[in-house]
């Protein structure tokens, strides 16, 4: 019951002060939100101890965005200024992850990372859809006013806009880099 209890309780307890009543009332958003928060705990049931470092580095890199957002909020950091270093480090951690866990794309040990990124990317896509829906409804309500469709009061986070496609490319490129290296070295799947 210990693992099951932790898996069921932790996503709600450790939701980084985002209370459930502050979340959008949207089933897709909530699914992605809790998938993103449950993913690190899936390691408890899927992890092979020899892969802890590779999994841990990739999770730390993914969750570092919360710290970066907090530092940016306090004006101690500009996320956009460290976009490319963040992406390069992410690529290296993804390469190490693929190299450590092997070329099998569908292994059980990969589920926690897949859940993390599906939840994370799903959150971003769903938030954009909800914002567009809100923006379009405001435009319809205010069509009789001098309402500009090219409003500039909505903050666009360029870091987040570009992070999604670059991360996806980094996963693909790091897979090919790691598996070509594995193939050249005479990869033995039984060794992993």
């Amino acid at each position: 019951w210990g693992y099951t209890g932790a898996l069921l309780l932790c996503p709600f307890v450790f939701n980084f002060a985002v209370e459930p009543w502050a979340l959008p009332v949207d089933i897709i958003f909530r699914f992605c939100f809790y998938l993103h928060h449950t993913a690190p705990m899936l390691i408890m049931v899927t992890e092979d101890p020899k892969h802890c470092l590779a999994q841990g580095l990739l999770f730390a890199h993914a969750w570092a965005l919360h710290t970066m957002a907090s530092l940016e909020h306090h004006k101690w950091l500009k996320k956009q200024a460290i976009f490319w270093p963040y992406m390069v480090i992410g690529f290296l951690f993804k390469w190490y992850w693929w190299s450590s866990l092997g070329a099998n794309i569908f292994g059980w040990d990969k589920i926690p990372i897949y859940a993390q990124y599906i939840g994370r990317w799903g959150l971003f896509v769903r938030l954009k859809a909800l914002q567009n829906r809100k923006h379009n409804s405001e435009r319809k309500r205010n069509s009789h006013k001098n309402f500009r469709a090219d409003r500039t009061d909505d903050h666009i986070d360029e870091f987040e806009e570009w992070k999604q496609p670059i991360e996806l490319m980094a996963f693909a490129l790091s897979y090919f880099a790691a598996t070509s290296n594995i193939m050249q070295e005479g990869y033995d799947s039984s060794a992993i």
Side-chain angles (χ1 to χ4, degrees):
W1 171 243
Y3 284 148
T4 306
L7 283 171
L8 293 175
L9 188 60
C10 285
F12 303 97
V13 174
F14 300 112
N15 62 2
F16 300 103
V18 178
E19 301 303 329
W21 51 84
L23 297 175
V25 182
D26 180 78
I27 191 82
I28 297 170
F29 176 88
R30 287 184 184 228
F31 172 78
C32 292
F33 180 82
Y34 288 115
L35 180 64
H36 163 72
H37 281 216
T38 303
M41 290 167 290
L42 291 175
I43 288 179
M44 290 187 287
V45 293
T46 63
E47 183 59 38
D48 181 342
K50 66 183 173 193
H51 301 139
C52 286
L53 181 60
Q55 298 272 42
L57 287 172
L58 202 46
F59 272 116
H61 185 262
W63 284 90
L65 284 178
H66 287 282
T67 304
M68 290 166 50
S70 181
L71 292 172
E72 184 172 57
H73 172 77
H74 293 292
K75 310 244 185 289
W76 296 338
L77 171 77
K78 286 191 179 242
K79 276 192 329 189
Q80 195 58 39
I82 60 168
F83 178 80
W84 286 111
Y86 179 82
M87 289 297 139
V88 169
I89 291 167
F91 172 83
L92 294 173
F93 285 173
K94 288 169 183 70
W95 172 82
Y96 179 64
W97 182 73
W98 285 118
S99 296
S100 298
L101 275 70
N104 180 5
I105 292 177
F106 300 109
W108 282 104
D109 51 354
K110 295 185 177 80
I111 289 174
I113 293 294
Y114 291 165
Q116 172 67 39
Y117 282 92
I118 289 168
R120 170 181 167 135
W121 294 337
L123 276 173
F124 177 77
V125 169
R126 191 61 186 163
L127 277 174
K128 284 191 62 95
L130 292 171
Q131 286 173 341
N132 286 339
R133 186 183 307 165
K134 180 181 172 189
H135 181 72
N136 288 337
S137 109
E138 285 175 7
R139 184 185 308 167
K140 286 177 186 173
R141 276 198 314 271
N142 296 316
S143 61
H144 64 286
K145 299 177 184 175
N146 185 15
F147 187 83
R148 293 178 33 185
D150 60 341
R151 292 182 358 191
T152 58
D153 59 337
D154 289 336
H155 173 69
I156 296 174
D157 186 341
E158 293 292 326
F159 187 100
E160 294 298 326
E161 287 286 329
W162 284 99
K163 177 184 63 125
Q164 316 306 319
I166 302 290
E167 275 185 339
L168 187 57
M169 284 192 309
F171 261 108
L173 293 174
S174 63
Y175 172 79
F176 291 119
T179 55
S180 68
N181 189 35
I182 290 169
M183 302 300 179
Q184 288 174 358
E185 293 175 6
Y187 173 69
D188 178 14
S189 63
S190 65
I192 292 184

